[in-house]
Protein backbone atom coordinates (compact mmCIF):
# COMPACT_ATOMS: atom_id res chain seq x y z
CA UNK A 1 0.00 0.00 0.00
CA UNK A 2 1.10 3.55 -0.76
CA UNK A 3 0.42 5.94 2.10
CA UNK A 4 -0.62 9.43 1.00
CA UNK A 5 -1.76 12.29 3.19
CA UNK A 6 -4.96 13.91 1.96
CA UNK A 7 -4.69 17.68 2.44
CA UNK A 8 -8.29 18.38 3.37
CA UNK A 9 -10.35 18.69 6.54
CA UNK A 10 -13.60 18.80 4.51
CA UNK A 11 -15.47 15.64 5.52
CA UNK A 12 -17.47 15.56 2.26
CA UNK A 13 -14.29 15.69 0.16
CA UNK A 14 -12.53 13.11 2.32
CA UNK A 15 -15.44 10.68 1.85
CA UNK A 16 -15.50 11.24 -1.94
CA UNK A 17 -11.75 10.61 -2.20
CA UNK A 18 -12.07 7.45 -0.08
CA UNK A 19 -15.00 6.14 -2.13
CA UNK A 20 -13.33 6.79 -5.49
CA UNK A 21 -9.89 5.46 -4.48
CA UNK A 22 -11.28 2.77 -2.18
CA UNK A 23 -10.30 -0.26 -4.27
CA UNK A 24 -6.75 0.81 -5.05
CA UNK A 25 -3.32 0.29 -3.54
CA UNK A 26 -3.50 3.68 -1.83
CA UNK A 27 -4.09 4.29 1.85
CA UNK A 28 -5.37 7.84 2.24
CA UNK A 29 -4.61 9.48 5.58
CA UNK A 30 -6.70 12.63 6.12
CA UNK A 31 -4.46 15.37 7.46
CA UNK A 32 -6.73 15.86 10.49
CA UNK A 33 -5.67 12.41 11.75
CA UNK A 34 -2.08 13.68 11.79
CA UNK A 35 -2.97 16.93 13.54
CA UNK A 36 -2.28 19.01 10.43
CA UNK A 37 -4.44 22.16 10.34
CA UNK A 38 -5.96 23.79 7.27
CA UNK A 39 -3.83 26.57 5.81
CA UNK A 40 -5.15 29.83 4.36
CA UNK A 41 -6.04 29.49 0.66
CA UNK A 42 -4.16 32.56 -0.51
CA UNK A 43 -3.74 31.47 -4.13
CA UNK A 44 -5.56 33.18 -6.98
CA UNK A 45 -6.35 29.97 -8.86
CA UNK A 46 -7.50 26.45 -8.05
CA UNK A 47 -4.01 25.23 -8.99
CA UNK A 48 -2.20 27.62 -6.67
CA UNK A 49 -4.42 26.67 -3.74
CA UNK A 50 -3.99 22.93 -4.41
CA UNK A 51 -0.21 23.26 -4.47
CA UNK A 52 -0.21 25.30 -1.24
CA UNK A 53 -2.30 22.66 0.53
CA UNK A 54 -0.32 19.69 -0.81
CA UNK A 55 3.08 21.22 0.07
CA UNK A 56 1.94 22.05 3.60
CA UNK A 57 0.54 18.55 4.25
CA UNK A 58 3.55 16.81 2.71
CA UNK A 59 5.99 18.91 4.75
CA UNK A 60 4.21 18.33 8.07
CA UNK A 61 3.44 14.65 7.44
CA UNK A 62 6.77 13.84 5.77
CA UNK A 63 5.01 11.74 3.13
CA UNK A 64 3.49 12.13 -0.34
CA UNK A 65 0.40 14.34 -0.43
CA UNK A 66 -2.67 14.83 -2.56
CA UNK A 67 -4.83 17.95 -2.48
CA UNK A 68 -7.67 19.40 -4.45
CA UNK A 69 -9.16 22.82 -4.84
CA UNK A 70 -12.52 22.98 -6.50
CA UNK A 71 -15.54 25.15 -6.97
CA UNK A 72 -18.23 26.28 -9.34
CA UNK A 73 -17.80 28.77 -12.19
CA UNK A 74 -20.93 30.52 -13.43
CA UNK A 75 -20.65 32.10 -16.88
CA UNK A 76 -23.24 34.84 -16.24
CA UNK A 77 -21.15 35.91 -13.21
CA UNK A 78 -17.85 36.02 -15.12
CA UNK A 79 -16.71 32.77 -13.52
CA UNK A 80 -17.69 33.57 -9.95
CA UNK A 81 -17.74 32.20 -7.29
CA UNK A 82 -14.73 30.19 -8.53
CA UNK A 83 -12.02 29.81 -5.90
CA UNK A 84 -14.29 31.49 -3.37
CA UNK A 85 -17.08 28.90 -3.76
CA UNK A 86 -16.87 27.55 -0.21
CA UNK A 87 -16.92 31.02 1.34
CA UNK A 88 -18.98 32.91 -1.22
CA UNK A 89 -21.45 34.28 1.33
CA UNK A 90 -18.73 34.99 3.90
CA UNK A 91 -15.90 33.29 5.79
CA UNK A 92 -18.10 31.29 8.18
CA UNK A 93 -21.05 30.69 5.88
CA UNK A 94 -22.70 27.35 5.10
CA UNK A 95 -23.84 25.67 1.88
CA UNK A 96 -27.36 27.07 2.20
CA UNK A 97 -26.13 30.66 2.49
CA UNK A 98 -23.89 30.20 -0.55
CA UNK A 99 -26.75 28.74 -2.58
CA UNK A 100 -29.12 31.53 -1.61
CA UNK A 101 -26.57 34.19 -2.60
CA UNK A 102 -26.00 32.50 -5.96
CA UNK A 103 -29.74 32.37 -6.63
CA UNK A 104 -30.05 36.05 -5.71
CA UNK A 105 -27.22 37.06 -8.04
CA UNK A 106 -28.75 35.07 -10.91
CA UNK A 107 -32.26 36.40 -10.32
CA UNK A 108 -33.77 37.35 -13.68
CA UNK A 109 -31.08 35.53 -15.69
CA UNK A 110 -32.73 33.42 -18.43
CA UNK A 111 -32.33 29.68 -17.92
CA UNK A 112 -30.28 29.14 -21.08
CA UNK A 113 -27.77 31.74 -19.85
CA UNK A 114 -27.27 30.00 -16.48
CA UNK A 115 -24.47 27.76 -17.78
CA UNK A 116 -21.86 26.73 -15.25
CA UNK A 117 -19.27 24.14 -14.45
CA UNK A 118 -17.73 22.54 -11.46
CA UNK A 119 -13.92 22.65 -11.65
CA UNK A 120 -11.47 20.49 -9.74
CA UNK A 121 -7.69 20.71 -9.77
CA UNK A 122 -5.92 17.87 -7.98
CA UNK A 123 -2.22 18.05 -7.16
CA UNK A 124 -0.04 15.10 -6.17
CA UNK A 125 3.37 15.68 -4.62
CA UNK A 126 5.92 12.94 -3.91
CA UNK A 127 7.54 15.23 -1.34
CA UNK A 128 6.97 18.78 -0.13
CA UNK A 129 9.96 20.11 -2.09
CA UNK A 130 9.37 18.12 -5.29
CA UNK A 131 9.81 20.57 -8.20
CA UNK A 132 7.17 19.07 -10.47
CA UNK A 133 3.74 18.50 -8.94
CA UNK A 134 1.49 16.13 -10.88
CA UNK A 135 -1.63 18.06 -11.89
CA UNK A 136 -5.08 16.73 -12.81
CA UNK A 137 -7.66 19.28 -13.95
CA UNK A 138 -11.25 18.32 -14.74
CA UNK A 139 -14.64 20.01 -15.15
CA UNK A 140 -18.32 19.07 -15.12
CA UNK A 141 -20.70 21.11 -17.26
CA UNK A 142 -24.24 21.96 -16.25
CA UNK A 143 -26.73 24.74 -15.49
CA UNK A 144 -27.73 26.59 -12.35
CA UNK A 145 -31.37 25.90 -11.49
CA UNK A 146 -33.82 28.35 -9.96
CA UNK A 147 -34.32 26.47 -6.66
CA UNK A 148 -32.60 23.82 -4.58
CA UNK A 149 -33.65 20.25 -5.42
CA UNK A 150 -32.31 17.01 -3.92
CA UNK A 151 -30.72 15.87 -0.68
CA UNK A 152 -27.53 14.12 -1.78
CA UNK A 153 -24.10 15.66 -2.25
CA UNK A 154 -23.01 18.99 -0.81
CA UNK A 155 -22.11 22.53 -1.79
CA UNK A 156 -23.97 23.74 -4.87
CA UNK A 157 -25.21 20.25 -5.82
CA UNK A 158 -28.92 21.07 -5.18
CA UNK A 159 -28.66 23.93 -7.73
CA UNK A 160 -26.38 22.23 -10.28
CA UNK A 161 -28.61 20.79 -13.01
CA UNK A 162 -27.09 17.92 -15.00
CA UNK A 163 -28.78 17.83 -18.46
CA UNK A 164 -27.72 14.29 -19.39
CA UNK A 165 -29.46 12.95 -16.27
CA UNK A 166 -32.35 15.48 -16.21
CA UNK A 167 -31.82 16.18 -12.52
CA UNK A 168 -29.57 18.08 -10.13
CA UNK A 169 -26.29 16.72 -8.78
CA UNK A 170 -28.03 16.39 -5.42
CA UNK A 171 -30.48 13.89 -6.96
CA UNK A 172 -27.74 11.58 -8.23
CA UNK A 173 -26.57 8.54 -6.28
CA UNK A 174 -23.00 8.58 -4.97
CA UNK A 175 -22.01 6.07 -7.65
CA UNK A 176 -23.56 8.13 -10.46
CA UNK A 177 -21.97 11.34 -9.22
CA UNK A 178 -18.51 9.83 -8.78
CA UNK A 179 -18.62 8.49 -12.35
CA UNK A 180 -19.22 11.90 -13.97
CA UNK A 181 -18.23 14.62 -11.51
CA UNK A 182 -15.26 16.97 -11.78
CA UNK A 183 -13.54 15.30 -8.81
CA UNK A 184 -14.36 11.82 -10.10
CA UNK A 185 -12.85 12.63 -13.51
CA UNK A 186 -9.70 14.17 -12.02
CA UNK A 187 -9.18 11.19 -9.70
CA UNK A 188 -9.66 8.76 -12.59
CA UNK A 189 -6.79 10.50 -14.42
CA UNK A 190 -4.71 10.26 -11.26
CA UNK A 191 -5.48 6.54 -11.02
CA UNK A 192 -4.50 5.89 -14.65
CA UNK A 193 -1.06 7.40 -14.19
CA UNK A 194 -0.11 6.56 -10.64
CA UNK A 195 -1.85 3.42 -9.47
CA UNK A 196 -0.65 -0.02 -10.43
Amino acid sequence: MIKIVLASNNNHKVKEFERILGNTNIELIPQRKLGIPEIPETGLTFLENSILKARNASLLANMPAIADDSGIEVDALSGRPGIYSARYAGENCNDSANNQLLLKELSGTPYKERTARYRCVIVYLESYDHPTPKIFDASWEGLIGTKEIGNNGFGYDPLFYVPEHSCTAAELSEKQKNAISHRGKALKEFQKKFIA
Side-chain angles (χ1 to χ4, degrees):
M1 296 289 283
I2 303 167
K3 290 189 176 183
I4 300 175
V5 60
L6 172 56
S8 178
N9 288 340
N10 180 315
N11 289 329
H12 295 293
K13 281 188 185 182
V14 169
K15 286 176 183 172
E16 278 194 4
F17 268 82
E18 289 173 342
R19 280 193 293 267
I20 294 168
L21 297 178
N23 296 316
T24 66
N25 61 340
I26 284 179
E27 180 186 349
L28 283 178
I29 304 171
Q31 66 180 14
R32 181 180 286 130
K33 287 189 177 178
L34 302 174
I36 298 171
E38 294 266 347
I39 62 163
E41 296 182 12
T42 56
L44 298 178
T45 64
F46 293 120
L47 177 58
E48 287 176 10
N49 284 332
S50 290
I51 290 173
L52 285 170
K53 292 189 274 191
R55 286 207 192 284
N56 177 67
S58 182
L59 173 65
L60 296 177
N62 194 29
M63 66 173 65
I66 191 167
D68 102 311
D69 197 39
S70 51
I72 197 161
E73 299 172 333
V74 180
D75 294 322
L77 301 177
S78 302
R80 286 184 290 120
I83 61 169
Y84 304 106
S85 292
R87 53 193 187 276
Y88 196 40
E91 281 300 323
N92 297 308
C93 65
N94 59 24
D95 290 347
S96 179
N98 285 331
N99 284 330
Q100 291 310 307
L101 177 58
L102 185 58
L103 285 175
K104 182 180 176 184
E105 292 205 325
L106 286 175
S107 177
T109 304
Y111 195 66
K112 65 181 180 181
E113 294 175 22
R114 297 168 77 104
T115 52
R117 75 211 41 81
Y118 269 126
R119 282 278 311 283
C120 175
V121 178
I122 289 176
V123 165
Y124 173 74
L125 281 174
E126 292 175 19
S127 63
Y128 81 93
D129 57 352
H130 199 281
T132 21
K134 304 296 187 281
I135 299 162
F136 307 91
D137 187 340
S139 62
W140 185 19
E141 299 291 327
L143 295 157
I144 302 300
T146 56
K147 63 181 179 180
E148 295 183 56
I149 302 173
N151 298 309
N152 299 330
F154 62 100
Y156 298 89
D157 287 356
L159 292 179
F160 189 74
Y161 183 77
V162 186
E164 62 265 35
H165 286 272
S166 301
C167 67
T168 68
E171 294 177 284
L172 296 172
S173 69
E174 288 175 355
K175 185 175 181 181
Q176 287 174 310
K177 182 182 176 185
N178 291 340
I180 61 174
S181 76
H182 52 313
R183 192 168 294 111
K185 290 175 187 174
L187 281 172
K188 281 187 189 74
E189 290 306 307
F190 168 77
Q191 285 178 270
K192 281 181 195 173
K193 296 189 179 179
F194 292 97
I195 298 176

